[in-house]
Amino acid sequence: PENITVQELSNRMAVRVADIIKFMMRQGQMMKQSDELDADTAELIATEFGHTVKRVAESDVEEGLAGDIVDSDENLEPRPPVVTIMGHVDHGKTSLLDALRQTDVVSGEAGGITQHIGAYQVRVASGQRVTFLDTPGHAAFSAMRARGAQVTDIVVLVVAADDGVMPQTVEAIQHAKASGVPIIVAINKMDKQGANPDKVLSELTQHEVIVEQFGGDVQVVKVSALKKEGLEELVEQILLQAEVLNLRANPDRPAEAVVIESKLDKGRGTVATVLVQMGTLKRGDIVVVGAQIGRIRAITNERGQQLQNAGPSEPVEIMGLEGVPEPGNVLNVVENENRAREVADYRARAKKQRTTGIKSTGTSLESMMAK
Ligand code: GDP
Ligand code: MG
C-alpha cells in the first residue's frame, strides 16, 4: 500500500487532523497535515482510532444498500402498522395476541393462521391489515433497539385491571418512550372481580402516560382477552393511530427487512422470520444479513402459504440463508453474489476487529485504503 497524508487519513477516518497530530505527538513525532505516513504508521493511527475507521470503510463498502435509496414522495404507499404488545408478565399479552389473531376476517377460510412464525398479520373487515409481532420479550426488544432496528410503529401496553402498573409495565413504558413509539393502553381482564381501570389510569399518569380523560393524548381501550371483548375497538384505535403516523413505504425497490427471530432447522436449514420494512422481497433474491449471505429459496406466511414476494410490513418466514442471523439484524437485497460477499466479508472483518479490539490484520487497513 502507498503512503497517505495526515490530511487524507483524517478525511478517510472522519477524525480531526488535530487529533491525529496530537496522537503522533504522544508517540514522540511532530507532524503536520501535509506530511506523509507510511502504511505501518497509518495502520497504527487507524487502529488507535479504530471505531471511526470502521465507519468510513463501512460507508464505502455498504454504500448503495437499500437503506441509502431515498424514496420520493410519489413512490410511497400506505403500509400496515406494525404493533408490539408489551406489558407485565401474566397481564395477558399472549392471550390478547391469540384473541386478536381470531379477529382476522379471513382466518375462517382455508389456511387460517396456522404457523407460529413470531409475527402475523390480521386483516380487518375494512380490508386494512395490522401486523402484530409476538412479544419478543423485553430483552430481545432492547437488543433490536441497540442495533438500531426500529421494528414497531405502535406499542400496545397491556395492563391487567386487577393488578395495575407493575415493574415490567414500567419497563415497557420506558422502551416505548426511548424509541419514540406511541402507546395505546389496553386495560385487560376487565371481566375479573376487582377490576379497577381508574386505578390503572392514575398509576400510568405517575409514569407520564397521560390518557385522554386526564388531558393527555394516549388512547385507552378496556378489553378482556378471555371473553374476547373490546378487541374490535382496540384494532380500531390501532388503525386510527396508524393514520396519524402516516405510515408509508415504497414497495418498488430492493427490499430491506429486519430479522425478528431465526433458528437452524434440521431439515430446512436456516429459517428466519423477517419483517419487510421497505421494498419487496422476492423469491430468488440475493441477500446479505449481518455477515451472512443467502438466496431466498422460500417465502412463507403465517398461513403456511408459499409466496413469490412480500411487501412492506409483511412478516414472513424465509429459507435460504447460509448462517443463522440474530434478531435485529438487517437484511438487504443486493444485485449479485459478489456484492453480497463483499459486504458480508467486510462486516465479518469489522466484527472481528470489534471483538479482538486493537489487533488489526492488515487486510482491514488495505480495504480501508483501497479506493
Ligand atoms: P402474559 O404472561 O402476559 O403473556 O399473560 P397470559 O396471556 O399468559 O395470561 C396470564 C393468565 O391470565 C392466564 O391464566 C390467562 O388465562 C389469564 N388471562 C389473560 N387475559 C385474561 C382476561 O381478559 N381475563 C381473565 N379473567 N384472565 C385472563
Ligand atoms: Mg406470554
Side-chain angles (χ1 to χ4, degrees):
E2 333 137 76
N3 291 351
I4 182 170
T5 65
V6 172
Q7 176 67 62
E8 206 182 338
L9 184 63
S10 119
N11 291 345
R12 290 202 193 178
M13 298 195 303
V15 303
R16 296 183 315 160
V17 169
D19 290 337
I20 296 178
I21 292 176
K22 236 184 271 169
F23 170 69
M24 289 310 291
M25 223 143 77
R26 286 202 301 274
Q27 310 299 310
Q29 252 187 290
M30 297 297 289
M31 303 216 98
K32 53 185 188 305
Q33 75 189 60
S34 57
D35 282 350
E36 279 196 354
L37 302 159
D38 61 29
D40 284 349
T41 312
E43 177 170 1
L44 181 74
I45 297 169
T47 45
E48 172 71 17
F49 293 92
H51 199 69
T52 320
V53 170
K54 237 168 31 222
R55 285 225 326 259
V56 171
E58 197 159 16
S59 68
D60 283 350
V61 177
E62 306 212 356
E63 205 170 296
L65 291 183
D68 287 349
I69 305 169
V70 178
D71 290 307
S72 64
D73 211 51
E74 68 262 28
N75 296 330
L76 295 173
E77 289 176 20
R79 63 169 179 83
V82 179
V83 177
T84 304
I85 297 191
M86 302 185 92
H88 195 71
V89 64
D90 282 346
H91 279 197
K93 299 179 295 292
T94 304
S95 306
L96 191 57
L97 272 164
D98 288 345
L100 285 163
R101 189 176 267 138
Q102 287 163 28
T103 63
D104 185 82
V105 291
V106 296
S107 67
E109 299 165 18
I113 299 172
T114 51
Q115 312 261 110
H116 175 86
I117 68 167
Y120 63 88
Q121 235 179 28
V122 165
R123 281 140 250 240
V124 297
S126 59
Q128 285 163 293
R129 294 174 300 165
V130 179
T131 300
F132 288 97
L133 296 185
D134 273 8
T135 344
H138 296 181
F141 196 81
S142 318
M144 287 189 202
R145 200 153 53 76
R147 293 194 187 99
Q150 179 81 296
V151 288
T152 193
D153 300 308
I154 296 167
V155 164
V156 168
L157 181 67
V158 181
V159 189
D162 61 335
D163 203 22
V165 170
M166 298 299 278
Q168 285 167 287
T169 316
V170 177
E171 235 178 85
I173 293 169
Q174 286 161 354
H175 281 307
K177 293 209 173 214
S179 356
V181 175
I183 294 173
I184 295 173
V185 175
I187 303 185
N188 189 33
K189 307 198 186 185
M190 283 301 293
D191 60 284
K192 274 187 108 173
Q193 289 258 328
N196 191 348
D198 290 334
K199 180 166 162 277
V200 172
L201 296 186
S202 63
E203 285 171 357
L204 285 170
T205 304
Q206 291 162 26
H207 297 279
E208 277 144 53
V209 176
I210 321 283
V211 301
E212 263 188 347
Q213 84 179 68
F214 294 161
D217 58 3
V218 175
Q219 299 298 322
V220 183
V221 186
K222 293 173 187 163
V223 302
S224 165
L226 189 74
K227 304 262 190 222
K228 307 203 184 345
E229 283 165 5
L231 302 178
E232 271 156 41
E233 199 194 333
L234 178 57
V235 172
E236 212 169 281
Q237 285 303 337
I238 290 168
L239 290 170
L240 274 175
Q241 182 63 258
E243 223 176 285
V244 171
L245 293 171
N246 190 23
L247 302 169
R248 298 186 305 161
N250 176 6
D252 299 317
R253 54 181 283 173
E256 184 166 301
V258 63
V259 175
I260 304 299
E261 58 183 32
S262 66
K263 59 173 192 268
L264 191 60
D265 183 287
K266 270 191 202 116
R268 301 187 294 161
T270 297
V271 180
T273 297
V274 302
L275 174 71
V276 177
Q277 297 196 291
M278 45 179 113
T280 297
L281 186 66
K282 303 187 180 78
R283 260 176 71 175
D285 274 348
I286 293 169
V287 300
V288 50
V289 192
Q292 318 281 358
I293 72 167
R295 178 190 284 271
I296 305 296
R297 280 195 288 122
I299 303 177
T300 313
N301 67 11
E302 71 277 6
R303 285 143 221 278
Q305 295 164 323
Q306 297 292 319
L307 308 177
Q308 289 303 317
N309 50 56
S313 295
E314 265 190 85
V316 287
E317 197 176 74
I318 57 167
M319 279 167 40
L321 302 182
E322 279 184 1
V324 182
E326 289 164 45
N329 278 165
V330 172
L331 174 149
N332 283 109
V333 172
V334 292
E335 55 271 34
N336 56 48
E337 204 163 312
N338 285 343
R339 178 79 176 114
R341 287 211 185 281
E342 182 190 25
V343 176
D345 286 352
Y346 167 73
R347 287 180 179 171
R349 270 201 311 270
K351 186 171 177 190
K352 200 161 149 204
Q353 269 186 318
R354 267 199 302 278
T355 47
T356 56
I358 208 84
K359 263 176 247 127
S360 167
T361 55
T363 359
S364 61
L365 182 73
E366 254 169 52
S367 74
M368 182 191 78
M369 299 297 180
K371 256 281 145 148

PDB file of all heavy atoms in Angstrom, residues 87-121:
ATOM      1  N   GLY A  87     -45.976  -5.626  28.203  1.00  0.00           N
ATOM      2  CA  GLY A  87     -46.622  -5.478  29.497  1.00  0.00           C
ATOM      3  C   GLY A  87     -46.047  -6.462  30.493  1.00  0.00           C
ATOM      4  O   GLY A  87     -45.184  -7.280  30.155  1.00  0.00           O
ATOM      5  N   HIS A  88     -46.542  -6.372  31.708  1.00  0.00           N
ATOM      6  CA  HIS A  88     -46.036  -7.208  32.788  1.00  0.00           C
ATOM      7  C   HIS A  88     -46.437  -8.670  32.563  1.00  0.00           C
ATOM      8  O   HIS A  88     -47.459  -8.961  31.949  1.00  0.00           O
ATOM      9  CB  HIS A  88     -46.580  -6.711  34.123  1.00  0.00           C
ATOM     10  CG  HIS A  88     -45.850  -7.264  35.312  1.00  0.00           C
ATOM     11  ND1 HIS A  88     -44.568  -6.881  35.617  1.00  0.00           N
ATOM     12  CD2 HIS A  88     -46.224  -8.169  36.255  1.00  0.00           C
ATOM     13  CE1 HIS A  88     -44.175  -7.536  36.705  1.00  0.00           C
ATOM     14  NE2 HIS A  88     -45.152  -8.315  37.106  1.00  0.00           N
ATOM     15  N   VAL A  89     -45.617  -9.557  33.102  1.00  0.00           N
ATOM     16  CA  VAL A  89     -45.897 -10.996  32.975  1.00  0.00           C
ATOM     17  C   VAL A  89     -47.273 -11.307  33.572  1.00  0.00           C
ATOM     18  O   VAL A  89     -47.662 -10.726  34.581  1.00  0.00           O
ATOM     19  CB  VAL A  89     -44.774 -11.840  33.645  1.00  0.00           C
ATOM     20  CG1 VAL A  89     -44.718 -11.587  35.151  1.00  0.00           C
ATOM     21  CG2 VAL A  89     -44.952 -13.314  33.361  1.00  0.00           C
ATOM     22  N   ASP A  90     -47.992 -12.170  32.889  1.00  0.00           N
ATOM     23  CA  ASP A  90     -49.322 -12.630  33.316  1.00  0.00           C
ATOM     24  C   ASP A  90     -50.422 -11.578  33.171  1.00  0.00           C
ATOM     25  O   ASP A  90     -51.544 -11.805  33.626  1.00  0.00           O
ATOM     26  CB  ASP A  90     -49.307 -13.142  34.769  1.00  0.00           C
ATOM     27  CG  ASP A  90     -48.727 -14.546  34.855  1.00  0.00           C
ATOM     28  OD1 ASP A  90     -48.611 -15.192  33.792  1.00  0.00           O
ATOM     29  OD2 ASP A  90     -48.399 -14.993  35.963  1.00  0.00           O
ATOM     30  N   HIS A  91     -50.118 -10.455  32.566  1.00  0.00           N
ATOM     31  CA  HIS A  91     -51.178  -9.464  32.386  1.00  0.00           C
ATOM     32  C   HIS A  91     -52.028  -9.764  31.153  1.00  0.00           C
ATOM     33  O   HIS A  91     -53.033  -9.113  30.914  1.00  0.00           O
ATOM     34  CB  HIS A  91     -50.601  -8.045  32.349  1.00  0.00           C
ATOM     35  CG  HIS A  91     -50.331  -7.514  33.728  1.00  0.00           C
ATOM     36  ND1 HIS A  91     -50.133  -6.177  34.005  1.00  0.00           N
ATOM     37  CD2 HIS A  91     -50.239  -8.156  34.918  1.00  0.00           C
ATOM     38  CE1 HIS A  91     -49.927  -6.018  35.306  1.00  0.00           C
ATOM     39  NE2 HIS A  91     -49.977  -7.208  35.880  1.00  0.00           N
ATOM     40  N   GLY A  92     -51.569 -10.758  30.360  1.00  0.00           N
ATOM     41  CA  GLY A  92     -52.432 -11.238  29.268  1.00  0.00           C
ATOM     42  C   GLY A  92     -51.931 -10.949  27.860  1.00  0.00           C
ATOM     43  O   GLY A  92     -52.730 -10.911  26.921  1.00  0.00           O
ATOM     44  N   LYS A  93     -50.629 -10.775  27.688  1.00  0.00           N
ATOM     45  CA  LYS A  93     -50.079 -10.475  26.355  1.00  0.00           C
ATOM     46  C   LYS A  93     -50.366 -11.607  25.370  1.00  0.00           C
ATOM     47  O   LYS A  93     -50.875 -11.376  24.276  1.00  0.00           O
ATOM     48  CB  LYS A  93     -48.555 -10.235  26.431  1.00  0.00           C
ATOM     49  CG  LYS A  93     -48.166  -9.061  27.306  1.00  0.00           C
ATOM     50  CD  LYS A  93     -46.662  -8.881  27.367  1.00  0.00           C
ATOM     51  CE  LYS A  93     -45.930 -10.043  28.031  1.00  0.00           C
ATOM     52  NZ  LYS A  93     -46.221 -10.157  29.480  1.00  0.00           N
ATOM     53  N   THR A  94     -50.026 -12.810  25.788  1.00  0.00           N
ATOM     54  CA  THR A  94     -50.224 -13.955  24.895  1.00  0.00           C
ATOM     55  C   THR A  94     -51.707 -14.175  24.612  1.00  0.00           C
ATOM     56  O   THR A  94     -52.105 -14.394  23.468  1.00  0.00           O
ATOM     57  CB  THR A  94     -49.603 -15.225  25.520  1.00  0.00           C
ATOM     58  OG1 THR A  94     -48.221 -14.957  25.789  1.00  0.00           O
ATOM     59  CG2 THR A  94     -49.696 -16.411  24.585  1.00  0.00           C
ATOM     60  N   SER A  95     -52.503 -14.055  25.656  1.00  0.00           N
ATOM     61  CA  SER A  95     -53.951 -14.239  25.472  1.00  0.00           C
ATOM     62  C   SER A  95     -54.508 -13.208  24.506  1.00  0.00           C
ATOM     63  O   SER A  95     -55.346 -13.511  23.660  1.00  0.00           O
ATOM     64  CB  SER A  95     -54.676 -14.097  26.811  1.00  0.00           C
ATOM     65  OG  SER A  95     -54.117 -14.968  27.760  1.00  0.00           O
ATOM     66  N   LEU A  96     -54.026 -11.981  24.636  1.00  0.00           N
ATOM     67  CA  LEU A  96     -54.520 -10.913  23.773  1.00  0.00           C
ATOM     68  C   LEU A  96     -54.098 -11.145  22.320  1.00  0.00           C
ATOM     69  O   LEU A  96     -54.899 -10.973  21.392  1.00  0.00           O
ATOM     70  CB  LEU A  96     -54.004  -9.560  24.283  1.00  0.00           C
ATOM     71  CG  LEU A  96     -54.622  -8.320  23.650  1.00  0.00           C
ATOM     72  CD1 LEU A  96     -56.136  -8.299  23.812  1.00  0.00           C
ATOM     73  CD2 LEU A  96     -54.012  -7.048  24.240  1.00  0.00           C
ATOM     74  N   LEU A  97     -52.851 -11.569  22.141  1.00  0.00           N
ATOM     75  CA  LEU A  97     -52.374 -11.872  20.784  1.00  0.00           C
ATOM     76  C   LEU A  97     -53.203 -12.976  20.155  1.00  0.00           C
ATOM     77  O   LEU A  97     -53.582 -12.902  18.982  1.00  0.00           O
ATOM     78  CB  LEU A  97     -50.902 -12.300  20.828  1.00  0.00           C
ATOM     79  CG  LEU A  97     -49.886 -11.180  20.728  1.00  0.00           C
ATOM     80  CD1 LEU A  97     -48.518 -11.657  21.178  1.00  0.00           C
ATOM     81  CD2 LEU A  97     -49.804 -10.649  19.305  1.00  0.00           C
ATOM     82  N   ASP A  98     -53.501 -13.999  20.965  1.00  0.00           N
ATOM     83  CA  ASP A  98     -54.314 -15.105  20.454  1.00  0.00           C
ATOM     84  C   ASP A  98     -55.711 -14.626  20.088  1.00  0.00           C
ATOM     85  O   ASP A  98     -56.254 -15.005  19.057  1.00  0.00           O
ATOM     86  CB  ASP A  98     -54.410 -16.233  21.496  1.00  0.00           C
ATOM     87  CG  ASP A  98     -53.094 -16.983  21.624  1.00  0.00           C
ATOM     88  OD1 ASP A  98     -52.239 -16.812  20.731  1.00  0.00           O
ATOM     89  OD2 ASP A  98     -52.926 -17.735  22.597  1.00  0.00           O
ATOM     90  N   ALA A  99     -56.264 -13.796  20.953  1.00  0.00           N
ATOM     91  CA  ALA A  99     -57.612 -13.300  20.703  1.00  0.00           C
ATOM     92  C   ALA A  99     -57.640 -12.413  19.454  1.00  0.00           C
ATOM     93  O   ALA A  99     -58.552 -12.507  18.634  1.00  0.00           O
ATOM     94  CB  ALA A  99     -58.108 -12.525  21.918  1.00  0.00           C
ATOM     95  N   LEU A 100     -56.633 -11.583  19.313  1.00  0.00           N
ATOM     96  CA  LEU A 100     -56.569 -10.694  18.146  1.00  0.00           C
ATOM     97  C   LEU A 100     -56.413 -11.499  16.859  1.00  0.00           C
ATOM     98  O   LEU A 100     -56.950 -11.143  15.814  1.00  0.00           O
ATOM     99  CB  LEU A 100     -55.411  -9.702  18.286  1.00  0.00           C
ATOM    100  CG  LEU A 100     -55.656  -8.570  19.286  1.00  0.00           C
ATOM    101  CD1 LEU A 100     -54.352  -7.899  19.668  1.00  0.00           C
ATOM    102  CD2 LEU A 100     -56.639  -7.550  18.698  1.00  0.00           C
ATOM    103  N   ARG A 101     -55.653 -12.580  16.985  1.00  0.00           N
ATOM    104  CA  ARG A 101     -55.437 -13.455  15.834  1.00  0.00           C
ATOM    105  C   ARG A 101     -56.784 -13.954  15.305  1.00  0.00           C
ATOM    106  O   ARG A 101     -56.978 -14.111  14.116  1.00  0.00           O
ATOM    107  CB  ARG A 101     -54.570 -14.628  16.296  1.00  0.00           C
ATOM    108  CG  ARG A 101     -54.063 -15.520  15.224  1.00  0.00           C
ATOM    109  CD  ARG A 101     -53.161 -16.572  15.822  1.00  0.00           C
ATOM    110  NE  ARG A 101     -51.767 -16.180  15.804  1.00  0.00           N
ATOM    111  CZ  ARG A 101     -50.905 -16.365  16.800  1.00  0.00           C
ATOM    112  NH1 ARG A 101     -51.293 -16.916  17.921  1.00  0.00           N
ATOM    113  NH2 ARG A 101     -49.662 -15.988  16.684  1.00  0.00           N
ATOM    114  N   GLN A 102     -57.697 -14.167  16.246  1.00  0.00           N
ATOM    115  CA  GLN A 102     -59.006 -14.693  15.844  1.00  0.00           C
ATOM    116  C   GLN A 102     -59.930 -13.627  15.281  1.00  0.00           C
ATOM    117  O   GLN A 102     -61.001 -13.951  14.773  1.00  0.00           O
ATOM    118  CB  GLN A 102     -59.659 -15.393  17.036  1.00  0.00           C
ATOM    119  CG  GLN A 102     -58.977 -16.724  17.323  1.00  0.00           C
ATOM    120  CD  GLN A 102     -59.288 -17.248  18.716  1.00  0.00           C
ATOM    121  OE1 GLN A 102     -60.351 -16.959  19.273  1.00  0.00           O
ATOM    122  NE2 GLN A 102     -58.375 -18.014  19.271  1.00  0.00           N
ATOM    123  N   THR A 103     -59.528 -12.357  15.384  1.00  0.00           N
ATOM    124  CA  THR A 103     -60.359 -11.324  14.775  1.00  0.00           C
ATOM    125  C   THR A 103     -60.116 -11.266  13.271  1.00  0.00           C
ATOM    126  O   THR A 103     -60.803 -10.573  12.546  1.00  0.00           O
ATOM    127  CB  THR A 103     -60.068  -9.918  15.353  1.00  0.00           C
ATOM    128  OG1 THR A 103     -58.717  -9.567  15.038  1.00  0.00           O
ATOM    129  CG2 THR A 103     -60.278  -9.869  16.846  1.00  0.00           C
ATOM    130  N   ASP A 104     -59.110 -11.996  12.812  1.00  0.00           N
ATOM    131  CA  ASP A 104     -58.791 -12.000  11.395  1.00  0.00           C
ATOM    132  C   ASP A 104     -60.005 -12.456  10.587  1.00  0.00           C
ATOM    133  O   ASP A 104     -60.560 -13.514  10.848  1.00  0.00           O
ATOM    134  CB  ASP A 104     -57.604 -12.929  11.138  1.00  0.00           C
ATOM    135  CG  ASP A 104     -57.149 -12.876   9.700  1.00  0.00           C
ATOM    136  OD1 ASP A 104     -56.405 -11.941   9.365  1.00  0.00           O
ATOM    137  OD2 ASP A 104     -57.547 -13.754   8.920  1.00  0.00           O
ATOM    138  N   VAL A 105     -60.387 -11.633   9.613  1.00  0.00           N
ATOM    139  CA  VAL A 105     -61.628 -11.937   8.898  1.00  0.00           C
ATOM    140  C   VAL A 105     -61.485 -13.067   7.890  1.00  0.00           C
ATOM    141  O   VAL A 105     -62.474 -13.620   7.441  1.00  0.00           O
ATOM    142  CB  VAL A 105     -62.204 -10.683   8.169  1.00  0.00           C
ATOM    143  CG1 VAL A 105     -62.710  -9.693   9.184  1.00  0.00           C
ATOM    144  CG2 VAL A 105     -61.178 -10.065   7.242  1.00  0.00           C
ATOM    145  N   VAL A 106     -60.268 -13.398   7.528  1.00  0.00           N
ATOM    146  CA  VAL A 106     -60.140 -14.494   6.569  1.00  0.00           C
ATOM    147  C   VAL A 106     -59.661 -15.787   7.224  1.00  0.00           C
ATOM    148  O   VAL A 106     -59.421 -16.768   6.560  1.00  0.00           O
ATOM    149  CB  VAL A 106     -59.194 -14.141   5.384  1.00  0.00           C
ATOM    150  CG1 VAL A 106     -59.788 -13.003   4.592  1.00  0.00           C
ATOM    151  CG2 VAL A 106     -57.802 -13.810   5.865  1.00  0.00           C
ATOM    152  N   SER A 107     -59.551 -15.774   8.553  1.00  0.00           N
ATOM    153  CA  SER A 107     -58.972 -16.960   9.180  1.00  0.00           C
ATOM    154  C   SER A 107     -59.915 -18.149   9.140  1.00  0.00           C
ATOM    155  O   SER A 107     -59.510 -19.275   9.324  1.00  0.00           O
ATOM    156  CB  SER A 107     -58.509 -16.670  10.606  1.00  0.00           C
ATOM    157  OG  SER A 107     -59.615 -16.409  11.412  1.00  0.00           O
ATOM    158  N   GLY A 108     -61.199 -17.886   8.875  1.00  0.00           N
ATOM    159  CA  GLY A 108     -62.129 -18.998   8.726  1.00  0.00           C
ATOM    160  C   GLY A 108     -61.873 -19.787   7.448  1.00  0.00           C
ATOM    161  O   GLY A 108     -62.174 -20.958   7.357  1.00  0.00           O
ATOM    162  N   GLU A 109     -61.299 -19.088   6.482  1.00  0.00           N
ATOM    163  CA  GLU A 109     -61.051 -19.730   5.189  1.00  0.00           C
ATOM    164  C   GLU A 109     -59.905 -20.725   5.282  1.00  0.00           C
ATOM    165  O   GLU A 109     -59.200 -20.785   6.277  1.00  0.00           O
ATOM    166  CB  GLU A 109     -60.716 -18.658   4.143  1.00  0.00           C
ATOM    167  CG  GLU A 109     -61.848 -17.671   3.946  1.00  0.00           C
ATOM    168  CD  GLU A 109     -61.386 -16.428   3.195  1.00  0.00           C
ATOM    169  OE1 GLU A 109     -60.324 -16.490   2.555  1.00  0.00           O
ATOM    170  OE2 GLU A 109     -62.091 -15.414   3.268  1.00  0.00           O
ATOM    171  N   ALA A 110     -59.736 -21.448   4.229  1.00  0.00           N
ATOM    172  CA  ALA A 110     -58.662 -22.439   4.206  1.00  0.00           C
ATOM    173  C   ALA A 110     -57.334 -21.764   4.534  1.00  0.00           C
ATOM    174  O   ALA A 110     -57.041 -20.676   4.059  1.00  0.00           O
ATOM    175  CB  ALA A 110     -58.590 -23.077   2.827  1.00  0.00           C
ATOM    176  N   GLY A 111     -56.566 -22.417   5.373  1.00  0.00           N
ATOM    177  CA  GLY A 111     -55.256 -21.881   5.716  1.00  0.00           C
ATOM    178  C   GLY A 111     -55.331 -20.641   6.572  1.00  0.00           C
ATOM    179  O   GLY A 111     -54.683 -19.651   6.288  1.00  0.00           O
ATOM    180  N   GLY A 112     -56.156 -20.640   7.595  1.00  0.00           N
ATOM    181  CA  GLY A 112     -56.129 -19.562   8.583  1.00  0.00           C
ATOM    182  C   GLY A 112     -54.749 -19.528   9.208  1.00  0.00           C
ATOM    183  O   GLY A 112     -53.873 -20.297   8.823  1.00  0.00           O
ATOM    184  N   ILE A 113     -54.561 -18.637  10.184  1.00  0.00           N
ATOM    185  CA  ILE A 113     -53.231 -18.513  10.772  1.00  0.00           C
ATOM    186  C   ILE A 113     -52.879 -19.808  11.500  1.00  0.00           C
ATOM    187  O   ILE A 113     -53.503 -20.161  12.496  1.00  0.00           O
ATOM    188  CB  ILE A 113     -53.161 -17.307  11.718  1.00  0.00           C
ATOM    189  CG1 ILE A 113     -53.448 -16.024  10.925  1.00  0.00           C
ATOM    190  CG2 ILE A 113     -51.798 -17.225  12.382  1.00  0.00           C
ATOM    191  CD1 ILE A 113     -53.608 -14.782  11.779  1.00  0.00           C
ATOM    192  N   THR A 114     -51.928 -20.499  10.969  1.00  0.00           N
ATOM    193  CA  THR A 114     -51.612 -21.821  11.499  1.00  0.00           C
ATOM    194  C   THR A 114     -50.198 -21.889  12.051  1.00  0.00           C
ATOM    195  O   THR A 114     -49.928 -22.574  13.016  1.00  0.00           O
ATOM    196  CB  THR A 114     -51.711 -22.878  10.384  1.00  0.00           C
ATOM    197  OG1 THR A 114     -50.930 -22.426   9.274  1.00  0.00           O
ATOM    198  CG2 THR A 114     -53.144 -23.061   9.942  1.00  0.00           C
ATOM    199  N   GLN A 115     -49.319 -21.194  11.396  1.00  0.00           N
ATOM    200  CA  GLN A 115     -47.913 -21.316  11.731  1.00  0.00           C
ATOM    201  C   GLN A 115     -47.555 -20.360  12.858  1.00  0.00           C
ATOM    202  O   GLN A 115     -48.074 -19.251  12.916  1.00  0.00           O
ATOM    203  CB  GLN A 115     -47.061 -20.899  10.540  1.00  0.00           C
ATOM    204  CG  GLN A 115     -47.470 -21.503   9.252  1.00  0.00           C
ATOM    205  CD  GLN A 115     -46.596 -22.672   8.948  1.00  0.00           C
ATOM    206  OE1 GLN A 115     -47.046 -23.784   9.004  1.00  0.00           O
ATOM    207  NE2 GLN A 115     -45.341 -22.416   8.667  1.00  0.00           N
ATOM    208  N   HIS A 116     -46.624 -20.766  13.666  1.00  0.00           N
ATOM    209  CA  HIS A 116     -46.077 -19.792  14.591  1.00  0.00           C
ATOM    210  C   HIS A 116     -44.788 -19.251  13.985  1.00  0.00           C
ATOM    211  O   HIS A 116     -43.789 -19.928  13.940  1.00  0.00           O
ATOM    212  CB  HIS A 116     -45.790 -20.415  15.954  1.00  0.00           C
ATOM    213  CG  HIS A 116     -45.119 -19.431  16.854  1.00  0.00           C
ATOM    214  ND1 HIS A 116     -45.833 -18.548  17.618  1.00  0.00           N
ATOM    215  CD2 HIS A 116     -43.824 -19.144  17.039  1.00  0.00           C
ATOM    216  CE1 HIS A 116     -44.989 -17.771  18.254  1.00  0.00           C
ATOM    217  NE2 HIS A 116     -43.759 -18.107  17.928  1.00  0.00           N
ATOM    218  N   ILE A 117     -44.842 -18.045  13.472  1.00  0.00           N
ATOM    219  CA  ILE A 117     -43.620 -17.511  12.877  1.00  0.00           C
ATOM    220  C   ILE A 117     -43.153 -16.252  13.596  1.00  0.00           C
ATOM    221  O   ILE A 117     -42.307 -15.522  13.121  1.00  0.00           O
ATOM    222  CB  ILE A 117     -43.753 -17.246  11.359  1.00  0.00           C
ATOM    223  CG1 ILE A 117     -44.721 -16.095  11.068  1.00  0.00           C
ATOM    224  CG2 ILE A 117     -44.206 -18.511  10.627  1.00  0.00           C
ATOM    225  CD1 ILE A 117     -44.634 -15.602   9.640  1.00  0.00           C
ATOM    226  N   GLY A 118     -43.684 -16.012  14.768  1.00  0.00           N
ATOM    227  CA  GLY A 118     -43.180 -14.874  15.539  1.00  0.00           C
ATOM    228  C   GLY A 118     -43.839 -13.560  15.197  1.00  0.00           C
ATOM    229  O   GLY A 118     -43.553 -12.534  15.791  1.00  0.00           O
ATOM    230  N   ALA A 119     -44.715 -13.598  14.224  1.00  0.00           N
ATOM    231  CA  ALA A 119     -45.407 -12.392  13.816  1.00  0.00           C
ATOM    232  C   ALA A 119     -46.559 -12.804  12.913  1.00  0.00           C
ATOM    233  O   ALA A 119     -46.499 -13.850  12.280  1.00  0.00           O
ATOM    234  CB  ALA A 119     -44.476 -11.470  13.055  1.00  0.00           C
ATOM    235  N   TYR A 120     -47.587 -12.012  12.877  1.00  0.00           N
ATOM    236  CA  TYR A 120     -48.676 -12.346  11.951  1.00  0.00           C
ATOM    237  C   TYR A 120     -49.424 -11.083  11.571  1.00  0.00           C
ATOM    238  O   TYR A 120     -49.334 -10.057  12.245  1.00  0.00           O
ATOM    239  CB  TYR A 120     -49.605 -13.391  12.548  1.00  0.00           C
ATOM    240  CG  TYR A 120     -50.338 -12.957  13.794  1.00  0.00           C
ATOM    241  CD1 TYR A 120     -51.564 -12.297  13.708  1.00  0.00           C
ATOM    242  CD2 TYR A 120     -49.810 -13.198  15.059  1.00  0.00           C
ATOM    243  CE1 TYR A 120     -52.232 -11.896  14.842  1.00  0.00           C
ATOM    244  CE2 TYR A 120     -50.475 -12.804  16.205  1.00  0.00           C
ATOM    245  CZ  TYR A 120     -51.686 -12.145  16.090  1.00  0.00           C
ATOM    246  OH  TYR A 120     -52.341 -11.730  17.214  1.00  0.00           O
ATOM    247  N   GLN A 121     -50.164 -11.219  10.459  1.00  0.00           N
ATOM    248  CA  GLN A 121     -50.942 -10.091  10.006  1.00  0.00           C
ATOM    249  C   GLN A 121     -52.418 -10.421  10.133  1.00  0.00           C
ATOM    250  O   GLN A 121     -52.850 -11.512   9.785  1.00  0.00           O
ATOM    251  CB  GLN A 121     -50.608  -9.799   8.541  1.00  0.00           C
ATOM    252  CG  GLN A 121     -50.170  -8.378   8.338  1.00  0.00           C
ATOM    253  CD  GLN A 121     -49.811  -8.073   6.899  1.00  0.00           C
ATOM    254  OE1 GLN A 121     -50.318  -8.681   5.970  1.00  0.00           O
ATOM    255  NE2 GLN A 121     -48.946  -7.098   6.732  1.00  0.00           N
TER     256      GLN A 121
END
